[in-house]
Amino acid sequence: MPRMHDFLLYGAGQLLTCSNPGKGPKRGKSLSDPGIVTDGAIAVSGGVISAVGARADVERIIGSSRVERVIDAGGRVVMPGWVDAHTHAVFSRYRADEYDARIRGVGYLEIERRGGGIKRTVREVREMSEQRLFEVSRRRLAKILEGGTTTIEIKSGYGLDLENELKMLRVIARLGRELPLDVVPSFMGAHQKPPGSEGGAYVRTVIDEMIPAVAREGLAEFVDVFCESGVFTLEETEEILSAARAHGLGLKIHADEITPQGGAELAARLGARSAEHLTKISPAGLAALASSDTIAVLLPGTTFGLGSRQFAPAREMIDRGAAVALATDFNPGSAPSCSMPFAIAVACSQMRMTAAEAVNAATVNAAFAVGRGERAGSLEKGKQADFVGYDVEDYREIPSRAGTNHAVVVVKSGAVAWERPSFEAASEVGL
Ligand code: NIG
Ligand code: FE
C-alpha cells in the first residue's frame, strides 16, 4: 500500500532546519549555522517529519505516495516553531502601571516593597477561580501560537501555597491538553516567600509538602527557584533543588538576575538543566557554565522591559562555549511581551548575537533547555512537524523587522494550527 502523507510543503525560499543531529544543544561555531536549504521542502506523515531538505530530494523520497494537502511556501522563510523556554504565562492581569513607574525611576524591588510586583499577581491569582484562570490564559496562548511559538514552558509561582500552586499547575496541564501547543510545566513555588510567612517555614513547606504533592500528581517536569537577594538564598535554593531531584524532577534556577548570588555556579554544580536570566553573572559563574551541560537561558526582553541597559553577557558566553538559549520570560510585570521575534530582536541589537545565533538559541537550544530536544526545536526527519512560515524572504528580517507579526502559517505536529486569512493578497514576498 502506498504511504500516506499529511502534507508536503515546498517552495521555501529559505528553509531553516536548525538541526544538530544527535549532538545536543549548539555551541560556538555551530550556533552560527541555521542550516539553510534554498528551495526547501518538508514532507509530514503522522504528525512527524518524514523528509526534509531540498525539494528535489524530498519529492524523490516521498515518490508516488498520496499527499493529503500541498502547501506552496511561495519563496517565504520556513523555520522550526519557536520554543519559548521560560514563561510565567498563567496569571491574572498585566501590571502596566508598574511599567510607567519604572520609567519614572522606581526600581523593581521598590515596586515589590510597595505591594506591587509578584505579590500583587499572587493576590489576584489566589482570588481567581481555576476556570477563569484557565480562560484568560487560554486566550493568551492562542495569541502566542499566532506568533509562531509551538512549545512553551510555563512556571507556576503566583499561588505560593499548596492549593493555589496546584491550581496553577492544573491550568498549565489543561492548556497543554486543549491547545495545539506543547506545554512544559515547571513548579515554581519558590518564586517568592508568601506575604506573612516566616521564610524558613515556607522553604520547609515547599520541600515537605509542595514538591511531593506536585511529583505525586505528575504536574511538573521541572522545579525552578528564584535565587536572589531577599528572595531565596543560595543555600535554600540548593535545599529545594535537592528535594526536587530526589523526586525525579529536573532543575532550573532564576540565577543572578538582579544581584550576583552564585546561582550560575550552583546550577553548574548541581547539573541543572538550565540557569536563567544571568544578567549579573560573575566571571566565576560564566566559567562554570561554559564548561557544563547547563543551558544558559537568556531573557533580553526582561532587561528591556525593566528599562535596564545591562544585558546578559551573551557574546562572552557563546565565545567561551556555553550553550545559550533565548526565551521571552513572558509575565505580567517585568516582561509583558510574549513575542519570540521581539526577544530575538533585542538579543541581536543589544547582546550582539547574530540572527543565526538567535534563531538557533530560540529553537533547538531552547528545546534542549526544556527537555524536548529529541523531538522539537529543529526540522529533522523523525521530529515533530512544528514549523512556521514567515512572509519574509530572508530570515534576518525576522529580528530586524520585529514589531509586526510576519507569521502566515503555523503548523503543530503536522496540522495547520493557525493561518493568516488571505495573506497571499497582502504578501510582500516574490514581488
Ligand atoms: O522572571 N524574576 C522573577 N520572576 C519573574 C517576574 C515575574 C513578575 O514580575 O510577575 C521574572 O522576571
Ligand atoms: Fe522568570
Side-chain angles (χ1 to χ4, degrees):
M1 207 176 96
R3 276 194 309 159
M4 256 284 286
H5 284 269
D6 305 342
F7 67 79
L8 169 69
L9 175 145
Y10 70 91
Q14 290 182 339
L15 175 71
L16 274 52
T17 64
C18 300
S19 67
N20 197 21
K23 289 194 239 105
K26 292 185 176 225
R27 297 169 189 262
K29 278 212 166 15
S30 107
L31 195 64
S32 300
D33 179 12
I36 300 180
V37 180
T38 48
D39 194 13
I42 311 172
V44 178
S45 181
V48 167
I49 297 171
S50 47
V52 55
R55 178 178 177 176
D57 296 336
V58 171
E59 286 180 339
R60 194 173 329 109
I61 293 166
I62 68 167
S64 60
S65 61
R66 228 183 62 169
V67 177
E68 190 106 312
R69 181 172 177 190
V70 177
I71 298 180
D72 178 0
R76 295 181 180 81
V77 168
V78 177
M79 58 166 290
W82 305 107
V83 176
D84 195 343
H86 177 141
T87 84
H88 306 259
V90 168
F91 58 84
S92 45
R93 54 190 335 115
Y94 295 93
R95 308 193 307 263
D97 54 329
E98 294 177 9
Y99 179 74
D100 236 15
R102 285 195 300 272
I103 290 168
R104 291 172 204 276
V106 187
Y108 186 75
L109 296 175
E110 175 57 26
I111 288 173
E112 289 274 339
R113 273 191 285 274
R114 293 181 186 181
I118 295 171
K119 288 187 174 67
R120 173 165 149 205
T121 303
V122 169
R123 280 197 303 277
E124 293 172 354
V125 165
R126 286 178 173 181
E127 280 166 16
M128 258 190 173
S129 71
E130 187 165 332
Q131 176 58 29
R132 181 147 172 78
L133 191 58
F134 171 75
E135 190 49 34
V136 294
S137 307
R138 186 187 67 74
R139 292 177 189 211
R140 265 176 226 136
L141 257 66
K143 276 193 198 153
I144 287 172
L145 180 72
E146 292 182 11
T149 299
T150 50
T151 298
I152 184 170
E153 186 255 16
I154 308 180
K155 303 173 196 294
S156 68
Y158 293 124
L160 308 188
D161 61 29
L162 181 61
E163 178 195 337
N164 286 293
E165 285 295 310
L166 291 179
K167 176 173 88 179
M168 283 195 76
L169 288 168
R170 285 192 300 269
V171 166
I172 293 169
R174 186 171 164 202
L175 291 166
R177 286 196 302 274
E178 296 192 20
L179 286 161
L181 269 121
D182 281 331
V183 174
V184 180
S186 295
F187 166 65
M188 201 173 178
H191 193 195
Q192 287 273 293
K193 288 176 179 161
S197 76
E198 197 270 295
Y202 184 65
V203 172
R204 294 271 30 115
T205 305
V206 169
I207 293 173
D208 297 335
E209 292 173 32
M210 295 187 179
I211 290 175
V214 166
R216 196 166 50 240
E217 299 194 25
L219 284 171
E221 295 179 32
F222 294 96
V223 172
D224 194 344
V225 179
F226 190 11
C227 179
E228 182 57 62
S229 163
V231 193
F232 292 90
T233 65
L234 203 60
E235 293 71 29
E236 289 170 334
T237 304
E238 179 162 3
E239 236 193 305
I240 293 167
L241 292 182
S242 303
R245 166 172 292 153
H247 281 87
L249 299 166
L251 317 183
K252 290 180 172 288
I253 305 182
H254 271 61
D256 308 321
E257 177 186 359
I258 303 164
T259 49
Q261 298 286 314
E265 293 91 318
L266 178 65
R269 179 160 65 76
L270 294 177
R273 174 62 61 132
S274 58
E276 324 206 329
H277 282 285
L278 303 171
T279 13
K280 304 286 163 59
I281 189 171
S282 69
L286 211 150
L289 263 195
S291 59
S292 76
D293 287 333
T294 298
I295 299 176
V297 177
L298 308 184
L299 310 163
T302 312
T303 309
F304 182 88
L306 292 175
S308 159
R309 281 173 179 73
Q310 195 183 341
F311 289 84
R315 241 341 339 127
E316 208 180 334
M317 289 178 181
I318 294 167
D319 296 344
R320 293 183 58 179
V324 168
L326 288 169
T328 62
D329 194 18
F330 177 48
N331 72 63
S334 60
S337 166
C338 62
S339 162
M340 287 296 282
F342 169 72
I344 71 165
V346 182
C348 293
S349 93
Q350 301 301 309
M351 304 198 307
R352 299 269 169 248
M353 286 176 72
T354 64
E357 289 171 336
V359 163
N360 279 319
T363 55
V364 62
N365 282 13
F368 281 103
V370 296
R372 293 291 189 280
E374 306 306 321
R375 44 184 159 124
S378 63
L379 301 178
E380 292 171 57
K381 186 173 188 289
K383 280 198 170 184
Q384 285 171 186
D386 299 350
F387 53 84
V388 198
Y390 275 103
D391 194 39
V392 298
E393 290 173 358
D394 184 314
Y395 75 97
R396 289 167 292 199
E397 293 172 56
I398 297 170
S400 66
R401 297 175 61 206
T404 301
N405 183 14
H406 299 288
V408 291
V409 62
V410 181
V411 173
K412 176 76 196 77
S413 292
V416 174
W418 179 77
E419 205 167 358
R420 182 178 299 286
S422 43
F423 67 82
E424 297 278 2
S427 180
E428 296 177 74
V429 172
L431 295 178

